[in-house]
Amino acid sequence: MAKTTQKDDKTPKVVKEVKANKPKIDLDLLNYDFLLQRARKQLESINTEHERFVMPDLENLIQGKKTLLKNAGQVAKVLKRDIQHLLKFYVKETGVPATNDDSKIILNGTVNSFKVRQIFDKYIDEFVLCKQCKKPETRIITEKGVLLLKCDACGAINPVRKV
């Protein structure tokens, strides 16, 4: 509604009346438990899978006095690491010389499967998983001669030792 008023100079002035029209708020919508249940129902339908990254198993085989890590190339590719980096880590941890042959690593000594798995888990903890968020979406970069583990998920940068 508008009213017109006049001043002394006889020009009309328009004044607007503002009504107090407040929107009606449903108190159930502001209830925390209701909102939480509604959000959980929507999340269940979106994502029922708990893990999106499955850590690969390293297959090993002992032949005489040599230990073969048969799928080392595929594992290195899944972890987004160079097979030479994995090879150097195994050489340093086991103390036996090794070579790589396309997609496998050949350790010139017998290393039991428990020790192979233990070394692989240590590699994952040190060079693959982020120190902050524990996700495997990382890459190794070099900055001013220092090896750094850069997480693509959270953006954290942590130094790692050279192999």
Side-chain angles (χ1 to χ4, degrees), residues 40-51:
R40 283 188 178 153
K41 286 178 185 175
Q42 290 173 352
L43 284 176
E44 287 173 9
S45 64
I46 294 170
N47 188 9
T48 57
E49 186 178 321
H50 296 291
E51 277 190 51

Side-chain angles (χ1 to χ4, degrees), residues 59-70 105-116:
E59 298 174 14
N60 64 330
L61 177 67
I62 298 174
Q63 288 185 338
K65 292 190 176 193
K66 292 185 180 188
T67 304
L68 301 173
L69 306 177
K70 296 194 300 186
I105 293 177
I106 303 167
L107 299 170
N108 294 330
T110 55
V111 182
N112 63 19
S113 33
F114 176 75
K115 186 71 174 171
V116 167

Side-chain angles (χ1 to χ4, degrees), residues 8 18 21 24 32 38 52 54 63 78 88 97 99 103 114-115 117 124-125 140 158 161 163:
D8 295 334
V18 179
N21 288 336
K24 187 177 179 183
Y32 177 76
R38 188 174 71 181
R52 58 185 173 162
V54 178
Q63 288 185 338
V78 168
K88 287 179 186 177
T99 58
S103 66
F114 176 75
K115 186 71 174 171
R117 182 67 195 179
I124 297 293
D125 289 339
I140 296 177
N158 294 298
R161 67 180 174 99
V163 181

Side-chain angles (χ1 to χ4, degrees), residues 13-132:
K13 182 180 173 187
V14 178
V15 178
K16 292 183 180 179
E17 290 181 2
V18 179
K19 285 187 176 181
N21 288 336
K22 293 181 182 176
K24 187 177 179 183
I25 298 173
D26 190 7
L27 294 178
D28 287 337
L29 292 177
L30 298 178
N31 187 357
Y32 177 76
D33 294 327
F34 173 76
L35 292 173
L36 186 63
Q37 288 174 356
R38 188 174 71 181
R40 283 188 178 153
K41 286 178 185 175
Q42 290 173 352
L43 284 176
E44 287 173 9
S45 64
I46 294 170
N47 188 9
T48 57
E49 186 178 321
H50 296 291
E51 277 190 51
R52 58 185 173 162
F53 180 79
V54 178
M55 199 64 69
D57 284 331
L58 195 60
E59 298 174 14
N60 64 330
L61 177 67
I62 298 174
Q63 288 185 338
K65 292 190 176 193
K66 292 185 180 188
T67 304
L68 301 173
L69 306 177
K70 296 194 300 186
N71 62 340
Q74 294 150 351
V75 168
K77 187 176 180 181
V78 168
L79 297 176
K80 298 177 186 166
R81 297 294 181 268
D82 187 25
I83 192 167
Q84 288 296 324
H85 192 258
L86 188 61
L87 173 77
K88 287 179 186 177
F89 187 78
Y90 267 95
V91 167
K92 194 157 196 160
E93 291 294 315
T94 59
V96 297
T99 58
N100 71 322
D101 203 19
D102 292 331
S103 66
K104 60 186 171 187
I105 293 177
I106 303 167
L107 299 170
N108 294 330
T110 55
V111 182
N112 63 19
S113 33
F114 176 75
K115 186 71 174 171
V116 167
R117 182 67 195 179
Q118 195 175 29
I119 293 169
F120 184 63
D121 289 341
K122 187 176 179 180
Y123 181 81
I124 297 293
D125 289 339
E126 233 176 287
F127 295 102
V128 177
L129 296 178
C130 175
K131 308 290 188 247
Q132 308 297 331

Side-chain angles (χ1 to χ4, degrees), residues 5-11:
T5 60
Q6 292 185 350
K7 289 185 173 180
D8 295 334
D9 60 353
K10 305 283 184 202
T11 58

